[in-house]
Every structure is written in structure tokens, then in C-alpha cells.
Amino acid sequence: MRTKVAIIGAGPAGLLLGRLLDRAGVETVILERRSQEYVLGRIRAGVLEQGTVELLEKAGVSERLHADGLVHDGVELCFDGERHRFNFRELIGRTVTVYGQTEVTRDLMQARDASGATTIYRAENVSLHDFDGDRPTVRYVKDGIEHELACDFIAGCDGYHGASRASVPEGSIRTFERVYPFGWLGLLVDRPPVAEELIYAHHERGFALCSMRSHTRSRYYVQVPANEKVEEWSDDRFWDELRRRVDAETADNLVTGPSIEKSIAPLRSFVAEPLRFGRLFLAGDAAHIVPPTGAKGLNLAASDVGALAEALIEYYAERSSAGIDGYSARVLSRIWKAERFSWWMTSILHTFPDTDAFSRRIQRAEFDYLRSSDAAARSLAENYTGLPI
Ligand code: APR
Ligand code: PHB
């Protein structure tokens, strides 16, 4: 089998890249380790920047997003029970759209299936070869049979634990990492959200977040120690803890119910450099991880593949390698801005094991500064709603 671009991974990065390339007449094959149902079963974040919405429009998959997505003008931060709203629309004329990553993935899968492009699910033992030369190949096993896919380029969109980054020789790649000593325990519930916009709460007992998927489905999180077991958290314990960490009004208004999903996600910052190795490119979680606090994970994945699609389309249309040569530096500059913002949001909102009285006052001073300075609030708004590539 032969294709132009072999894409490893059918998460949002791989699927969006496939869609952007297919629409421009650049043929792709996607190889995914899991089943389609498994990929759709993963619950992830759901805040889309304007730039991500525009890319999904360009990919022709924005109909349901515009019908069901919730446009939010701002977010609220809550410190020790005091809430403050940041109105992004008023501050900088921008908004965000709340629409679950699971739904983005579903829309992209449906469009790909309808277009007839090839996606191979349950592709096992995916391995990448000869991307240093002119004729890269990808080998995989499907239903016990070995296959080889020849291609011009490989796009590694297979997430943090994927085969793509792992196949780069150690001396050719540098990685930067911070693992946080806590995770987020998330709960999904079919009850209306407690407020119209997201509430990010700092409390001595730990961070909490009130989010949503729709007017009838809510997503809540509480910070827990890194080694916490989800089985130790009954729904009642979760709701009690959440109430303690938010302001009194939010606690009173909370509509609780039985969880339909509950899981713990670790928090990590990670960047690989560079993101191009001959004919292999890394994009999305394969290239970087951000803690979820800034809601940047999906948006970064989208901007990576937006830039990669542009570069590859230019290569085929004009036989120019300027775009692919510039890919790594171009996306890394945005990635580090998002890393900085996500790290900063994480550090002001969470309680760290070594958070002493001084650090607590500094966190509080950050909040007071954001509340009192228009410039600081605008900076928050700019970073949260989108960063220039
Ligand atoms: N071979 C084939 N596929 C693989 C392999 C492999 N060796 N390893 C992983 N995969 C698949 C995974 O099963 C997954 O479906 O690659 C896909 C990667 O998808 P994601 O983890 O969703 O990563 P990405 O598409 O980059 O999306 C980034 O996801 O984790 C969130 O916060 C993150 O929102 C961001 C988004
Ligand atoms: C979510 O709804 O899952 C969510 C929202 C905002 C974040 C992180 C997660 O910053």
C-alpha cells in the first residue's frame, strides 16, 4: 500500500490533519491502535479557541459545533470563596466555544468515513522506518497479518505514549518536562451546570473547576494527590469536597446527581524539540503536554496540524519545502506560549505540597492583581482565548 501522508493516531490531531489534507487533495492513511469506539469513549476537555473553531470550519466539520456549542464570553476565577468574572468579549472582543473534544472527534470521524479516506483501526505494532531518507515506511499488524505502508511523509499524531516520538534516535531530540504532584479527579453528570460560565476555584484544600458539556451535562474537577485512587471517591465524597472549595453561592446552587464517568488525570508539562526529523513530523500530544488548567491541549493540537497541513499542501502544490522546513520553529513558538500560560494558571490555582504561607499570599496577590489591573485581565483574556501561531 502507498499513500502521500501516513498519519499515526486517530485522536483529534490525526483526524483533523487527515481532513485538512484530504480536502486539499493530499491523500492520507490513518493508522490507529485502538478501536473507533474506544477512541470515542475517552472523556477530555472541551474549550475551543476561535482559531480552533475556524480550523474546524475549514475542515468542513463545524455544523454540529455551531448548533450545539456554547459560546462563552468569559470565565470566573474564585479565590477562597470570592468570585470575579473576566469578560473576554468586553476586554478584547473575543470569546471561546464550549464543545466536548469527544464531539469534535466524532464529527471528524464521521466526515472521514463519509469521504472514503482510509482509516485502519486496531492497527497493532505500528513501527516507523527510514524517515531520514526519501522513502519512509510504516509497518503494522492488522488481524494477525503484517502490512507495510509506503509514504512521502509520516505525521506522528499518536499522543504522549505513541510510537512516533519513541522512534526518534535519542541524540536527535530534547525533551523538557515537569510532573506536578497532583492530579484532577473529574466527574461527568447529567445535570445542568451550576453557572453559565466556567468557574476556576483556588482553595487551601486544593483547586476545583466547574465546567460543562451542554445545558444539561456538567463536568466538575477537584485537585487530588497524584497517587489517589478513584475508587476511594464516592460521588457523595466528591460533591462534598467540591462544595467546600467553591464560594457559598456556587455550593448552594450545585445540582448533584449520579456520576456517569469519574476518572483521575495526572498533570504534566512536556515539550519535545524539534518536531521534525527528516520526513517525520510530530504534532499534538506526541509533541507536547500541557496541564489542563489553561484548556490548551486540544487547541494546541489543532494549531499544530493547521500549520502542518498548510506546509504539506504547499509542498505538493508548489514543490516548495519552505513550509515543512519552518514547521518546527513555527509551532514551537506558540507551544511555549501555551506552556507558559498553562504552567502559570496551574501555579496560581493549585495548592502544592510545599505551598507555605508566603506562597499562598503570592497566589492571592496574583488574583488581586488580575482583578484590579485592566492590562493583567486583558493578558489573561488573550492567553485563554487564543495565542498567535
Ligand atoms: N500506534 C497507533 N496509534 C497510536 C499509538 C500507536 N503506537 N499510540 C497511540 N495511538 C493513538 C491513541 O490510541 C490515540 O487515539 O493515537 C491517538 C492519539 O490521540 P490523543 O491522545 O487524543 O492525542 P492528540 O490527537 O494529539 O490530541 C490532543 O487530546 O489528550 C488530549 O489534551 C489533549 O486535547 C488534547 C488532545
Ligand atoms: C473540561 O470541561 O473538561 C475542562 C474545561 C476547562 C479546562 C479543563 C477541562 O481548563
Side-chain angles (χ1 to χ4, degrees), residues 130-207:
D130 302 325
F131 48 81
D132 252 356
D134 285 342
R135 293 174 202 283
T137 56
V138 182
R139 290 187 208 137
Y140 63 97
V141 174
K142 170 77 182 170
D143 299 328
I145 299 167
E146 253 191 64
H147 298 268
E148 185 171 283
L149 173 64
C151 55
D152 299 335
F153 298 102
I154 305 174
C157 302
D158 46 357
Y160 182 68
H161 299 287
S164 303
R165 196 183 65 250
S167 63
V168 174
E170 227 172 85
S172 309
I173 190 165
R174 235 187 123 184
T175 58
F176 304 83
E177 186 165 35
R178 169 139 320 166
V179 178
Y180 300 88
F182 41 73
W184 281 15
L185 169 63
L187 181 148
L188 192 65
V189 63
D190 273 326
R191 290 288 185 273
V194 66
E196 277 183 22
E197 293 175 344
L198 271 59
I199 303 172
Y200 289 84
H202 169 89
H203 190 274
E204 206 172 328
R205 296 180 63 85
F207 168 78

Side-chain angles (χ1 to χ4, degrees), residues 113-381:
D113 291 349
S115 77
T118 309
T119 312
I120 298 164
Y121 288 96
R122 297 179 193 275
E124 294 164 47
N125 300 343
V126 171
S127 61
L128 295 74
H129 305 272
D130 302 325
F131 48 81
D132 252 356
D134 285 342
R135 293 174 202 283
T137 56
V138 182
R139 290 187 208 137
Y140 63 97
V141 174
K142 170 77 182 170
D143 299 328
I145 299 167
E146 253 191 64
H147 298 268
E148 185 171 283
L149 173 64
C151 55
D152 299 335
F153 298 102
I154 305 174
C157 302
D158 46 357
Y160 182 68
H161 299 287
S164 303
R165 196 183 65 250
S167 63
V168 174
E170 227 172 85
S172 309
I173 190 165
R174 235 187 123 184
T175 58
F176 304 83
E177 186 165 35
R178 169 139 320 166
V179 178
Y180 300 88
F182 41 73
W184 281 15
L185 169 63
L187 181 148
L188 192 65
V189 63
D190 273 326
R191 290 288 185 273
V194 66
E196 277 183 22
E197 293 175 344
L198 271 59
I199 303 172
Y200 289 84
H202 169 89
H203 190 274
E204 206 172 328
R205 296 180 63 85
F207 168 78
L209 170 60
C210 306
S211 181
M212 67 195 73
R213 291 291 173 272
S214 68
H215 290 305
T216 55
R217 180 171 285 190
S218 310
R219 180 75 166 159
Y220 296 99
Y221 296 94
V222 292
Q223 173 190 345
V224 293
N227 53 1
E228 195 79 346
K229 300 254 176 310
V230 68
E231 303 78 51
E232 282 164 23
W233 285 82
S234 66
D235 288 359
D236 283 346
R237 181 175 174 204
F238 181 95
W239 295 122
D240 286 346
E241 190 59 39
L242 180 62
R243 276 195 211 93
R244 295 172 85 159
R245 296 186 187 187
V246 294
D247 59 289
E249 190 193 352
T250 304
D252 283 348
N253 290 344
L254 198 65
V255 191
T256 65
S259 61
I260 51 175
E261 197 265 358
K262 207 160 39 180
S263 55
I264 297 178
L267 265 72
R268 182 190 300 272
S269 298
F270 172 86
V271 183
E273 289 184 356
L275 297 177
R276 179 203 177 180
F277 310 89
R279 287 177 170 258
L280 165 65
F281 302 91
L282 300 181
D285 277 14
H288 44 71
I289 297 287
V290 282
T293 328
K296 288 282 167 250
L298 175 59
N299 293 299
L300 265 190
S303 61
D304 288 356
V305 299
L308 184 54
E310 232 174 66
L312 290 169
I313 291 165
E314 179 186 307
Y315 174 86
Y316 285 107
E318 300 164 24
R319 287 283 147 190
S320 153
S321 60
I324 57 178
D325 290 343
Y327 167 74
S328 180
R330 181 178 177 203
V331 295
L332 275 166
S333 120
R334 188 179 198 272
I335 289 164
W336 277 111
K337 289 184 188 122
E339 291 287 346
R340 184 207 66 84
F341 177 65
S342 307
W343 162 84
W344 172 79
M345 282 279 278
T346 303
S347 60
I348 66 163
L349 288 168
H350 291 74
T351 295
F352 289 70
D354 60 354
T355 299
D356 57 10
F358 178 81
S359 327
R360 214 176 295 291
R361 281 287 195 275
I362 292 292
Q363 288 177 318
R364 174 75 206 191
E366 284 274 2
F367 178 61
D368 290 338
Y369 177 50
L370 285 167
R371 281 205 298 191
S372 61
S373 155
D374 227 35
R378 267 205 306 276
S379 162
L380 170 72

Side-chain angles (χ1 to χ4, degrees), residues 12-24 48-63 65-66 97 99 104 107-108 111 283-284 288 296-311 313 327 330-331 334 385-389:
L15 287 165
L16 179 56
L17 177 64
R19 187 77 192 140
L20 292 168
L21 291 177
D22 283 345
R23 289 205 118 195
L48 309 184
E49 296 173 1
Q50 190 52 40
T52 304
V53 171
E54 283 160 17
L55 267 176
L56 293 167
E57 284 166 354
K58 204 166 154 190
V61 290
S62 57
E63 205 176 306
L65 155 68
H66 285 308
T97 302
Y99 186 67
V104 172
D107 295 343
L108 285 164
H288 44 71
K296 288 282 167 250
L298 175 59
N299 293 299
L300 265 190
S303 61
D304 288 356
V305 299
L308 184 54
E310 232 174 66
I313 291 165
Y327 167 74
R330 181 178 177 203
V331 295
R334 188 179 198 272
T385 59
L387 297 153
I389 182 150

Side-chain angles (χ1 to χ4, degrees), residues 8-14 31-34 39 42 44 101 123 126 157-159 161-163 283-286 297-298 301:
I8 323 289
L31 300 175
E32 164 62 49
R33 183 168 58 166
R34 305 285 192 171
V39 174
R42 289 194 288 239
R44 299 244 174 100
Q101 179 172 323
V126 171
C157 302
D158 46 357
H161 299 287
D285 277 14
L298 175 59

Side-chain angles (χ1 to χ4, degrees), residues 94-114:
R94 296 211 302 241
T95 58
V96 290
T97 302
V98 172
Y99 186 67
Q101 179 172 323
T102 312
E103 303 312 313
V104 172
T105 308
R106 192 190 310 279
D107 295 343
L108 285 164
M109 277 181 177
Q110 271 171 7
R112 185 166 180 92
D113 291 349

